[in-house]
Structures are given as C-alpha cells and as structure tokens.
Amino acid sequence: MKKFLAITLAMVLVLAMSIVGCTGEPVAPTKVVLGATLPVTGIFAGFGEQGWGMQKAVDDWNDTYGGMYLSEWDVTVPVELIIKDNQSDPNQVGPQSTDLVVTNKVDALLSPNAPCDLHDPTTAVATDNEVPSIIGGGPFEPWYFGSQGEVTPPYTWFAGFAISFPSGAPRNVPGYTMVDTWFMFMDAVGALSNTNGIAGVFASSDSDGTGWYQSFPALMEDYGLTVVGVNETLGFFPLTTTDYSSIVTAWKDANVEVLWGNCPGAHFGDLIAECYAQDFEPKICLAARAALFPLDVESWGTTPPLGYGVGCEVWWSPAYQVSDGFVGIGNRTAASLAADWAASAGNPPLNRGIGSGYMETQVMLNAIHEAGSLDGAAINAALADTDLDTISGWVNFDPVTHFSAVPLAFGQWFYDSENEDEPFTQYIVASALSEIPEEDSPIFPLPDWWP
Amino acid sequence: MEDFLVGLAPPLIKGILLGGLYVVIALGLSLVFGVMKLINVAHGDLVILGSYFAWAVMGWLGIDPFLSLVAGVPLFFVLGFFVQKFIINRTFRISLDAALIACFGISIIVQNLCQAIWTPFNRSLLTDYRLLTFAVGPLTIQLRYLLDFIGGLAVMLAVRGFLRRTYLGRAISAASQNEPVAERMGINPNRVYSFAFAIAMACAAVAGVLQGLTFSFSPTSGSPFLIISFGVIILGGLGSMAGTFIGGMVFGLTQTLGAYFSGGSLLVQSIAPYLLVFVILSVRPQGIFGR
C-alpha cells in the first residue's frame, strides 16, 4: 500500500511539474548555431578550406547586423559556426552530423563542395531530424540520384553546378554545368580537328571517380571523341594504386592525344609523373578534382612543371563584380573576400572553394533571417522561397529538385618560372557568361614538359 | 615470341624496381615483428614522418633528401630507441595487446603531428633528378625506381649483415629466437628490443626518402604502405630479412604483371598480390623464407 501511494504521489508530482513547465513562457534563444563537417585533414583537405569562407560569412553577418534578428522572439542573437573535421573519411560524416544536431543542437547544417561521400550522410541526418541543410557545390546529379533513395530529400538544398541540366533547373542556359563549360573549352581549342580525337580516361574508384567514369566517357563519345579501353575499365584505379605504368603504356600505344579524368590530386600527381617518365604527353589534359587546388598542383613539381596547362572547372572567381549580381553580406565583395584570404595566416594561394563556403552560409543565414525563427520547418520554407544575389551569383531553388545552379567556368594552370612563391596560377580560359570574363587564352597544345 | 618478351620486359623491370621500395618500407616492420612479435601499426606513419623530415630539411637547408639522412638516420634511431624504452617496453609489462594499442597511439600522434607542422596537403620530394630516365637497350629505366631498388637491397644487406656479424645483432637474433635462454646468457631483452626498434626507425627514415621521391605523400599516406608491408612480409616470411626482400620483389612483380596480363587493369593490379598472399598463407603459412 505504501509503495502504491509513493508511486501515485510521484506521478502526480511529475504531472504537476510538467503542467507548470508547459504554462511557463518559452525561453528565447541566445544564439544561432550552424554546423558543418568538413575534410579539414586527409586527402581532401583542399575542400576543407571552405570552412574559412563559411566562417567569414558568419563574421560578416554578425559585424553587419550585430547578429541574427529573430522576429518570433524580437531578439538579436549572435551567430556561431561549429566545424568538425571528418579527416576526409566518409564514415565520419554521418556520426559527426548527428553529433552536431543532437549534442551541439545546431539550427542548420552546411555541407561543402566536395566528393558526394562527404555530404550525402549529412543529407540523411538533416532529413531524419528535420534540420535544414545546404550543400554548396557540385556536381548535382550524384547527390540527387544517390541520396537515400529519395528523389528529393526534403530538408536539403543544393546550390552549385551540375554535370548537365537537370529537369526543371531554373537556368537552362550554358555556363552552369560541367558538360557545357568543359566542352566549350574543347570547342575553343578545336579538339576534334586539332587532335586525332583519341581520348584516354582515368578515374579513382571512390564514389566521385566511379560516377565520373560511368557517365563521362559516353558524353565524350557523343561529342565525337574515341575513348579507348572503357569496356576493359582502362584507367579506373583503386586509391591504393602505386604503379600507373600499364595504363600509360596502353594510352601511348593507342596514340591518345586527349587525357581526361577525375581523381584526387595526389594520385594524379603520380599518374602525370608516370606520363612524363614514359614521354607520353597528350595535347589536352583535363583533371576534375585533382587540379582544383594550387597546393596540389605545386606538389606535382616544377622540374618539369607537370601541372602546366592542366585544366578543370572553376567554381568561383575574385573577379566577380557586385554590378553583375555577385553580392556578399554587407560590403563584402568577391575581391575583398579573396584579399582577406590572401592576408590570412600563412599567406596561402587562392582556394576558390572559399566562395562556395561563403555562398551557402550566406543563403542559410538569409533563410533564417527571413524565417525569423529557429524552427526547422520555418527555415526550410524560407529556403524554398530564397531569391538572393550571393557572392557566387543568384540563388533560387527549383521546388522539385531543390537545385539552384550557380555559374561555372573552365580554367587552366599557367606556370611562371620567375614566381618562386606561387609558380602556378589558374586562369579562366572558357566561359559562357558575359559576367565571368575569360582571363587568358586557352593553352593548346600542352606545352613541352620543359617550357 | 620476341614481341611477347619485349612487351614483358618493362613490367618485369618495373615490378622488381618497385619491389625495392616495398622492401625498404617493410624491413622495419619485419624486424620489429621478428624480434618482439609486435605488429607495429605505426610503421607506415613513421615512414611518412621520414618523408616529411627530408622534405623539411630540403626546404630549410636546400640540401638533397639523401643528404638529409646524415641527420635523419641517427635522429630516427635515437627516437626509436627512446620510444621503445619509455613507451613500448613499459606496455609490454602489461601485455602484447597493450603494446599494440600503444603503437596505434603512436600512429595517431605521428599523423596529427605531421598535419599540425606541415599541413594536411600533398607533398613530394621535388628534386631535379626525381623524374630522370635513361635507356638500357630498348628499355627505359626511371631513376627513382632504380634508387628504390638500390635502397632496398642496400638496407636489407646492411640490416642482415648487422644481425649476423655484430654482437648486438646476434643478441637481437638470440632474443628473437628464444628470449628466456638469451636472458640467461646475459642478454637484456628490453635493451635488445630498444635497439631493434631503433634500427626499424632508421630504416623508416631511409624508406621515407625513397617513398617521397617516388610518390606524393600526406600525413595519412602511411596506411596503404603499412598494408603493402603486411603483404610483403607474409609472402617472404615474418622476421626474415632475405624473405622480406624476396617478398617485396614478388609483391611488386605480381602487381605489374597482373596489370600487364589483364590489359592494363589497375583493379587486377591491386588485387593480384593479395590473392597470392592468400595462396601463400594456405600453402605455406610461415611465408617463403619463414621458419
């Protein structure tokens, strides 16, 4: 009997406390917290430097507006960004994203422009927990068709570039996809008439490279190139590969003049060194992912400068002008963002990913401001209504695909033997958009190994 | 037939030369296992530390990476001696598992140390001669791979000679064969272990230079080479220096010939040596030269 009375009394107390608690005034938030898991270390560390751009956007917002005004509470609170290092390990992305939501209680998630393994798990966490998230990169298709078996994960939005135009994309003009910018470069150098049209392809066996190997050779064939060895998976290699001599020999035997692929920078460095050792020099060399970051290109060496003339997509440029719709937070311009990056610790060479990191954070901050609330559904609804000029261009998501295309161009690495500190500089050599001017003429054919 | 042989020659040569790099990387792992029965999972990271040390000295002093070994080998030797003396020997008192966990700890510390000091980005030892080639008849030999082979052979012979011809070397061998008896003969096992680990570290310094001349490296590059080293020493025989040399050659040849006979498939190239490891494990578990 005593036990029954004790349990009953405890239940009444708990119920009473709950009722009192529920009738109390809800507490206004004291801060807005954004979270991101980035490859700060590991083989994709170049992508991790987008965190600098994300933090800059947060700093700009706090400096410009004194924090985030939340109309639901009529308060202005500071914005914070939490970045976790996933060490370029896709297996850490999901648990870290969950940790950001559950432990750090972030109000929104950000995902970098990086191989899809490094943002797909965040999409799953965002969906499961109804936390809004943005991926600021590309290409769009691996995420769209690969995320958790759903056509469009409801809480994730994608601002970046695509391989080719998805159905319903807001902008269906050249200058926003890999296909039109890369083949624009091929047209510019007359690849079909000035080479023998024989192409070799290479890709690493991670998800990004596998997706590339499955889709691009067919596009190259459609363009008019003859791609050698695809049925035998020639050029498709595991990340543990230490010897590339067999594929270089095969390309050489097939008289390949166009080399095209997608792999991490370190692996491409070993591959191109083998090309040099076998005196196999194609007329065109395009290396998605590998040639994105200057430190990777420098690591391939200057004796000879193996990166000279290697091309890849360009996500962002300090030359973007406010008058063309490339608008940062407050007085921020693309040029000032690049200048601040250059002045940051260690005076690093430009990493174009800082623009992507800044842009997606800018979009998320704008959505939270428009929602005036930290409710996930409200922020998600505001993201759907986004209509914003950002540091990377206009963002306005398609309601079905959740995709907003931002401009893309094509660049090649130029070598300057006089500049010992930064011997390689990437210039835009093909652009379909008048607001992104070409900065130099395309390099064709590739210069001699020893220019 | 002549065409076939001419076609076969490049992958044969490449496999043997590349095997030299695998030998020099695996030697330290093999030595530590042979003496202490400890799988030093930090060995790949210690090799990369050797690459970074050479890269840093090259940047600071502008000297050749091989010259950096004048400082690197003694430094790594001393470092290895004290790591064994003050960390691994103490964990041995608990259990072999504790020592293994200590090696995991060393691996994590070395990786993060490299990232903190040298950033996570890819590096290479960019010497003027790194990509030089020369012709031998119809064959083109790449200098960096030839250096790998010479380095592998030289280090193997040096370690083997040391173990056979010096008092300390024979003490290490004795302790590895029968520790209680060796102890009764006046050999201090802990001291022997410290010297064995020190020699393994010195090997890692040399391996680091050769690795950095041959491939790009980053703080996390050690793991793939650790896995290759396991394959090499399983093929050759755990703890055997000559076996490690043969294992390295076989591993390199299986890779290049696998790619050659599969029409250049790098997937086959990657799988072939490990299939051979399975075969060796099932037919001769102690390896080709193992006892």
Side-chain angles (χ1 to χ4, degrees):
Chain A
M1 188 62 184
K2 279 182 183 174
K3 193 174 178 183
F4 174 75
L5 285 173
I7 291 171
T8 306
L9 185 61
M11 288 174 67
V12 169
L13 276 172
V14 168
L15 188 64
M17 286 166 70
S18 303
I19 293 167
V20 170
C22 288
T23 54
E25 284 296 313
V27 180
T30 56
K31 59 187 174 183
V32 173
V33 186
L34 308 181
T37 163
L38 299 177
V40 178
T41 58
I43 61 169
F44 298 123
F47 294 92
E49 291 190 325
Q50 289 168 65
W52 186 92
M54 292 175 178
Q55 186 61 56
K56 208 67 186 172
V58 168
D59 293 345
D60 282 355
W61 189 278
N62 284 330
D63 292 346
T64 304
Y65 303 112
M68 178 66 69
Y69 175 69
L70 300 171
S71 55
E72 183 184 356
W73 308 95
D74 193 27
V75 293
T76 299
V77 295
V79 182
E80 290 181 7
L81 171 67
I82 299 171
I83 291 176
K84 290 183 184 286
D85 177 15
N86 58 46
Q87 299 176 319
S88 303
D89 178 4
N91 296 318
Q92 293 197 37
V93 176
Q96 286 191 351
S97 299
T98 303
D99 199 38
L100 284 166
V101 171
V102 175
T103 308
N104 300 110
K105 304 198 180 306
V106 297
D107 301 299
L109 290 162
L110 306 171
S111 283
N113 188 348
C116 54
D117 284 358
L118 298 177
H119 52 62
D120 279 0
T122 303
T123 295
V125 172
T127 302
D128 291 347
N129 294 279
E130 299 185 351
V131 173
S133 75
I134 295 182
I135 299 167
F140 163 76
E141 287 88 341
W143 170 77
Y144 184 64
F145 295 112
S147 293
Q148 352 164 60
E150 294 186 31
V151 174
T152 307
Y155 272 83
T156 300
W157 306 79
F158 200 107
F161 62 88
I163 293 173
S164 58
F165 285 110
S167 170
R171 297 165 199 77
N172 204 1
V173 294
Y176 293 89
T177 74
M178 291 178 83
V179 167
D180 55 48
T181 48
W182 288 66
F183 287 112
M184 185 180 302
F185 167 78
M186 297 292 276
D187 288 340
V189 300
L192 293 179
S193 55
N194 294 327
T195 72
N196 62 9
I198 300 174
V201 288
F202 61 88
S204 49
S205 63
D206 51 0
S207 62
D208 207 16
T210 303
W212 189 95
Y213 200 87
Q214 288 172 346
S215 57
F216 261 81
L219 295 171
M220 293 164 68
E221 293 271 6
D222 291 344
Y223 180 73
L225 296 168
T226 302
V227 184
V228 299
V230 175
N231 292 335
E232 296 81 35
T233 63
L234 182 68
F236 186 61
F237 59 85
L239 289 170
T240 51
T241 300
T242 51
D243 176 39
Y244 299 88
S245 55
S246 60
I247 56 171
V248 175
T249 303
W251 290 336
K252 201 175 171 183
D253 291 345
N255 200 20
V256 163
E257 290 191 347
V258 177
L259 193 57
W260 200 334
N262 177 337
C263 69
H267 297 73
F268 180 77
D270 296 336
L271 173 65
I272 197 75
E274 183 64 37
C275 292
Y276 171 75
Q278 293 199 28
D279 198 24
F280 162 66
E281 188 174 21
K283 289 183 175 176
I284 296 172
C285 183
L286 311 175
R289 193 163 40 137
L292 286 171
F293 307 115
L295 288 173
D296 279 335
V297 177
E298 285 175 23
S299 76
W300 307 336
T302 55
T303 52
L306 297 175
Y308 194 179
V310 175
C312 71
E313 71 271 21
V314 173
W315 304 339
W316 180 78
S317 170
Y320 286 179
Q321 297 294 316
V322 172
S323 56
D324 292 323
F326 298 104
V327 183
I329 298 165
N331 296 322
R332 175 65 64 192
T333 63
S336 72
L337 187 68
D340 282 3
W341 166 260
S344 64
N347 195 24
L350 176 67
N351 182 325
R352 294 177 187 271
I354 61 173
S356 300
Y358 190 101
M359 174 268 291
E360 64 180 294
T361 313
Q362 183 181 2
V363 172
M364 185 59 84
L365 290 169
N366 177 72
I368 296 171
H369 174 73
E370 292 297 319
S373 166
L374 296 182
D375 175 65
I379 298 170
N380 209 41
L383 281 167
D385 293 336
T386 296
D387 183 358
L388 181 71
D389 284 334
T390 74
I391 203 91
S392 283
W394 180 52
V395 172
N396 168 227
F397 296 105
D398 178 86
V400 175
T401 62
H402 286 200
F403 176 58
S404 177
V406 297
L408 192 68
F410 186 87
Q412 282 178 297
W413 290 93
F414 287 67
Y415 173 65
D416 178 7
S417 60
E418 304 292 316
N419 187 345
E420 290 186 4
D421 292 334
E422 287 184 34
F424 292 97
T425 307
Q426 188 187 43
Y427 291 116
I428 293 171
V429 297
S431 168
L433 301 168
S434 59
E435 60 267 34
I436 305 176
E438 289 161 2
E439 298 164 339
D440 214 317
S441 302
I443 300 170
F444 178 85
L446 284 181
D448 290 338
W449 292 114
W450 296 94
Chain B
M1 185 63 186
E2 193 180 332
D3 287 348
F4 174 74
L5 291 175
V6 168
L8 196 60
L12 270 174
I13 298 294
K14 186 72 175 287
I16 290 170
L17 299 184
L18 180 62
L21 178 66
Y22 297 159
V23 170
V24 76
I25 292 175
L27 273 173
L29 187 71
S30 182
L31 180 66
V32 168
F33 184 85
V35 175
M36 291 176 252
K37 306 294 177 279
L38 171 67
I39 298 171
N40 177 16
V41 291
H43 187 71
D45 302 299
L46 297 172
V47 170
I48 297 303
L49 183 65
S51 303
Y52 272 111
F53 178 81
W55 184 84
V57 172
M58 206 176 149
W60 292 333
L61 305 175
I63 61 172
D64 188 88
F66 283 108
L67 279 178
S68 76
L69 289 174
V70 173
V73 168
L75 184 69
F76 272 58
F77 185 92
V78 171
L79 188 64
F81 186 89
F82 286 110
V83 164
Q84 179 70 31
K85 184 177 171 70
F86 291 110
I87 299 174
I88 299 176
N89 276 347
R90 293 184 182 197
T91 54
F92 262 138
R93 291 174 202 157
I94 304 168
S95 69
L96 190 60
D97 292 342
L100 184 67
I101 291 167
C103 289
F104 272 115
I106 292 168
S107 167
I108 292 166
I109 288 168
V110 170
Q111 280 189 23
N112 284 282
L113 194 69
C114 290
Q115 285 176 355
I117 298 173
W118 292 296
T119 79
F121 294 101
N122 298 313
R123 310 286 183 190
S124 297
L125 297 179
L126 300 173
T127 60
D128 290 342
Y129 57 82
R130 186 176 76 109
L131 298 177
L132 287 183
T133 59
F134 55 91
V136 178
L139 292 172
T140 301
I141 305 289
Q142 297 182 37
L143 180 62
R144 56 192 169 138
Y145 288 102
L146 181 64
L147 292 172
D148 288 338
F149 180 79
I150 293 169
L153 184 63
V155 173
M156 187 276 290
L157 290 175
V159 174
R160 195 160 179 258
F162 174 81
L163 291 176
R164 288 189 168 193
R165 297 175 198 280
T166 66
Y167 174 80
L168 181 60
R170 285 197 288 268
I172 290 173
S173 299
S176 71
Q177 287 164 18
N178 194 325
E179 187 189 309
V181 172
E183 204 167 357
R184 279 185 220 117
M185 301 296 286
I187 294 169
N188 180 345
N190 283 341
R191 195 172 168 78
V192 163
Y193 291 167
S194 297
F195 276 110
F197 202 88
I199 294 167
M201 279 283 286
C203 290
V206 179
V209 168
L210 293 170
Q211 193 282 341
L213 280 171
T214 312
F215 300 115
S216 306
F217 57 90
S218 68
T220 53
S221 297
S223 302
F225 288 103
L226 180 70
I227 294 166
I228 288 172
S229 298
F230 282 138
V232 168
I233 61 177
I234 288 170
L235 285 174
L238 294 164
S240 163
M241 296 301 107
T244 303
F245 184 79
I246 297 298
M249 299 295 110
V250 171
F251 199 98
L253 279 169
T254 313
Q255 276 193 328
T256 54
L257 293 178
Y260 177 75
F261 286 113
S262 62
S265 170
L266 296 186
L267 297 175
V268 173
Q269 181 191 79
S270 296
I271 294 167
Y274 297 104
L275 289 176
L276 187 64
V277 166
F278 281 129
V279 172
I280 292 288
L281 276 174
S282 57
V283 175
R284 191 174 161 78
Q286 70 272 40
I288 298 169
F289 278 69
R291 278 172 285 186

